[in-house]
């Protein structure tokens, strides 16, 4: 057994190069991946890179004060996160503050106005039938209302012929197949078309007389409404109930403002189960927006689209209204009975994604108002980052100075290990930005600074175990191997405690504190990797060099300076003559 154990230890000592080769390969692979991805620096959070911070305050509707509760606030946070993330802003932060405020932090490089529109658009989403519409403001002179033209296509999920047949319908009128009885056609929507340029009489065919649903007062307000006026748009539709006809404004594909008279809400935004932007490769439709309704929503949607399909433009259109603004006004050519629908037209990816976000997350459980909007400049963030880096450099310099003074030559192994750990941390943080949206904020920088001490502590534990073995009279190579099992146990226990603390902190906190916890946990894991695959093998190799093995006074392992005991030797007693009895034993 002793021989086998000795052989095993000898084998372990003779192959430290394998561990070193493994960590070198890992570093090269990660670094190569970093450069290949094009993300060679970590993403910075709002407090370092600059950006916009929005504070939203929950406002209950009349008689519904109890709606402001933890469940609804948490739901609102989740919806806002999805809205902002739908814009591709993975490093944004959305969190509650107190019992009725939500803080949204949007980093630099994002269209803050678009993001504000997404998270601040907090009123209910409704599907309302269009009674009449026309261009508003100076552009309305001589301009007709939108006609049912355009290159929209229908969607058929069961038969391609259904799609082709519907898309070949004459523009300007409902598809002939829409009124067929018993047809197993799937749901299809056509996107709102552009204003026709063929009208010559200067009158809008749909604006001549609003539908009977709109009373005279609403007609008068409609005639006076100028949707190009921001103040007028802010007040349009105020106080209107879902069961009322109302006015609304919206922009068409050319960016021109249109005004609408809309009928009572037929479908609520909560009836939309999910929506997403999809690139349709089967037709020339390009980017489209798909919708899936709940069971109750599918029935209501089928009812309203069945009625609209019997009308002429624009009364075969329905408006998707969010915060009293029409975000889309598609028209229908058939009853949409399958619970799924698609809006297609001349969308680009950004437009399709924006509409899909509004449809999916447009029905927030609460109404929110902007309390404040604060912009953090990149200059201020740069100053904070510089201060954090200076603090980190000072901490690292002090640790290195201590190692040099106390451990001398042995300190170079620790310094090399620190730089390997720092390099791995930097590369991994750079890769985590595009992969999981990790953003380096100021608390995260603090976590990295704290990790310097944790990492150095692991080296110190191991070095002291080795020095203890030398004090017991052993030479360096056996001391390196005998000190490792005890040091390894201590290092693992210490790092486990640190990692557990970081995990708990990450789980129970929100916002920037999570950055500190994440960085602390990451660097703790890397500490274990570096100690096992770099520090221990490197010290094993160095123990074979004469400078360290001979205990040079500048090596940090000088037996004399450490107060080592002389090697223990056994002495044999002289053999006793036959029949001799020691008087002391008598």
């Amino acid at each position: 057994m002793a021989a086998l154990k000795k052989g095993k230890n000898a084998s372990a000592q003779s192959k430290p190069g394998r561990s070193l080769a493994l960590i070198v390969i890992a570093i090269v692979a990660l670094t190569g991946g970093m450069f290949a991805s094009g993300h060679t620096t970590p993403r910075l959070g709002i407090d370092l890179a600059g950006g916009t911070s929005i504070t939203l305050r929950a406002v209950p509707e009349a008689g519904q004060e109890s709606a402001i509760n933890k469940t609804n606030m948490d739901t609102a946070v989740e919806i806002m996160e999805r809205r902002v993330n739908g814009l591709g802003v993975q490093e944004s932060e959305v969190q509650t503050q107190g019992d009725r405020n939500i803080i949204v932090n949007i980093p630099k490089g994002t269209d803050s106005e678009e993001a504000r529109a997404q998270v601040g658009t907090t009123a209910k989403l409704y599907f309302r039938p269009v009674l009449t519409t026309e261009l508003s403001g100076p552009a309305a002179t001589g301009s007709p209302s939108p006609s049912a033209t355009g290159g929209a296509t229908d969607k058929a999920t069961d038969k391609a012929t259904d799609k082709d047949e519907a898309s070949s319908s004459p523009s300007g009128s409902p598809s002939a197949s829409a009124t067929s009885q018993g047809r197993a056609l799937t749901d299809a929507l056509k996107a709102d078309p552009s204003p026709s340029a063929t009208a010559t009489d200067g009158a809008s065919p749909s604006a001549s007389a609003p539908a009977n649903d709109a009373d005279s007062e609403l007609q008068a307000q409609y005639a006076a409404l100028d949707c190009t006026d921001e103040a007028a748009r802010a007040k349009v539709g105020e106080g209107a109930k879902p069961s009322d006809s109302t006015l609304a404004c919206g922009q068409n594909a050319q960016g021109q403002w249109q005004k609408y008279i809309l009928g009572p809400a037929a479908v609520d935004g909560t009836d939309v189960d999910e929506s997403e932007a999809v690139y349709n490769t089967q037709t020339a439709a390009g980017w489209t927006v798909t919708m899936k309704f709940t069971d109750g929503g599918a029935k209501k949607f089928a009812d309203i689209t069945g009625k609209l399909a019997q009308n002429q433009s624009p009364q075969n259109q329905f408006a998707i209204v969010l915060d009293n603004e029409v975000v889309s006004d598609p028209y229908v050519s058939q009853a949409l009975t399958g619970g799924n629908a698609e809006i297609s037209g001349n969308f680009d990816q950004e437009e399709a994604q924006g509409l899909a976000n509004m449809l999916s997350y447009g029905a927030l459980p609460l109404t929110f108002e902007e309390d404040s909007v604060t912009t953090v400049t990149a200059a201020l963030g740069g100053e904070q980052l510089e201060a954090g880096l200076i603090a980190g450099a000072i901490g690292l310099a002090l640790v290195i100075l201590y190692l040099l003074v106390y451990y001398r030559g042995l300190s170079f192994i620790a310094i090399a290990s620190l730089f390997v750990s720092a390099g791995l941390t930097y590369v991994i943080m750079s890769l985590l930005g595009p992969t999981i949206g990790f953003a380096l904020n100021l608390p995260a920088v603090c976590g990295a600074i704290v990790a310097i001490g944790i990492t150095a502590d692991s080296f110190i534990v191991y070095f002291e175990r080795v020095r203890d073995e030398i004090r017991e009279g052993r030479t360096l190579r056996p001391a390196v191997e005998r000190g490792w099992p005890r040091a390894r146990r201590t290092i693992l226990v210490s790092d486990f405690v640190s990692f557990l603390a970081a995990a708990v902190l990450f789980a129970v906190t929100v916002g920037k504190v999570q950055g500190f916890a994440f960085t602390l946990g990451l660097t703790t894991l890397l500490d274990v990797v570096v100690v096992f695959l770099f520090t221990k093998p490197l010290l094993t190799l160095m123990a074979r060099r004469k400078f360290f093995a001979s205990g040079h006074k500048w090596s940090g392992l000088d037996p004399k300076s450490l107060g080592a005991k002389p090697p223990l030797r056994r002495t044999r007693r002289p053999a006793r003559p036959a029949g001799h009895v020691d008087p002391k034993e008598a």
Side-chain angles (χ1 to χ4, degrees), residues 86 151-153 155 189-192 276-290 342-356:
T153 60
K155 178 186 178 183
L189 288 177
K190 292 183 178 179
D192 49 308
E276 61 180 337
V278 177
Y279 189 80
N280 194 328
T281 58
Q282 298 179 352
T283 68
W287 282 99
T288 62
V289 178
T290 62
E342 178 182 81
I343 302 175
S344 59
N346 297 320
F347 292 123
D348 59 27
Q349 182 177 4
E350 183 179 354
E351 291 169 341
Q353 187 63 65
L355 179 56

Side-chain angles (χ1 to χ4, degrees), residues 177-436:
S177 63
T179 57
S180 304
Q181 298 297 321
R183 290 293 303 261
L185 293 175
T186 56
D187 298 339
L189 288 177
K190 292 183 178 179
D192 49 308
S194 305
S196 172
T198 59
T200 56
D201 58 1
S204 168
S206 62
S208 56
N212 294 332
D213 302 60
D215 57 25
S216 57
E217 181 180 354
L218 200 61
Q219 293 182 41
Q221 294 174 354
Y222 175 77
L225 177 61
D226 181 4
C227 286
T228 61
D229 183 352
E230 184 176 355
R233 291 200 307 271
K235 295 181 179 180
V236 69
E238 277 187 341
K241 298 178 180 178
S243 57
D244 297 337
S245 295
T246 186
L247 302 180
C249 295
Q251 285 183 294
N252 60 23
Q254 286 70 40
Q256 299 168 309
W257 283 102
Q258 289 180 218
K259 57 183 179 179
Y260 298 80
I261 297 180
L262 305 176
V267 182
D268 193 284
T270 55
D271 293 321
V272 179
D273 189 33
E274 62 179 347
S275 178
E276 61 180 337
V278 177
Y279 189 80
N280 194 328
T281 58
Q282 298 179 352
T283 68
W287 282 99
T288 62
V289 178
T290 62
M291 294 185 293
K292 179 180 178 181
F293 292 89
T294 62
D295 292 341
K299 184 179 184 305
K300 291 189 283 186
F301 195 64
D303 291 342
I304 184 61
T305 54
K307 295 176 182 177
L308 293 177
Q310 302 175 23
N311 300 329
Q312 296 296 316
S313 177
Q315 293 176 14
N316 64 346
Q317 296 174 248
F318 66 85
I320 301 172
V321 186
L322 187 63
D323 282 351
N324 299 320
E325 181 177 329
V326 176
V327 296
S328 182
D329 58 352
Y331 67 94
V332 297
S333 59
Q334 63 188 60
L336 310 179
T337 59
N340 295 284
E342 178 182 81
I343 302 175
S344 59
N346 297 320
F347 292 123
D348 59 27
Q349 182 177 4
E350 183 179 354
E351 291 169 341
Q353 187 63 65
L355 179 56
N357 283 344
M358 291 180 182
L359 290 171
S360 291
Y361 318 123
L364 290 175
L366 298 168
T367 299
F368 288 86
E369 293 181 356
E370 279 188 3
D371 257 6
S372 64
V373 179
T374 305
T375 300
V376 179
T377 65
L380 179 59
E383 292 175 0
Q384 293 175 329
L385 178 60
E386 183 181 356
L389 293 176
I390 291 174
I394 293 173
L396 181 61
L398 291 174
V399 170
I400 291 175
L401 181 62
Y402 169 79
L403 292 172
L404 287 171
V405 172
Y406 192 73
Y407 289 108
R408 301 186 180 184
L410 198 60
S411 65
F412 288 100
I413 297 175
I415 294 170
S417 300
L418 280 172
F419 279 105
V420 169
S421 180
L424 281 171
T425 302
Y426 181 87
V427 171
I428 291 175
M429 283 184 176
S430 299
L431 290 172
L432 289 179
T435 53
I436 67 171

Side-chain angles (χ1 to χ4, degrees), residues 45-60:
I46 186 174
D47 55 349
L48 298 180
T52 303
S53 180
I54 306 170
T55 301
L56 300 172
R57 176 170 49 86
V59 179

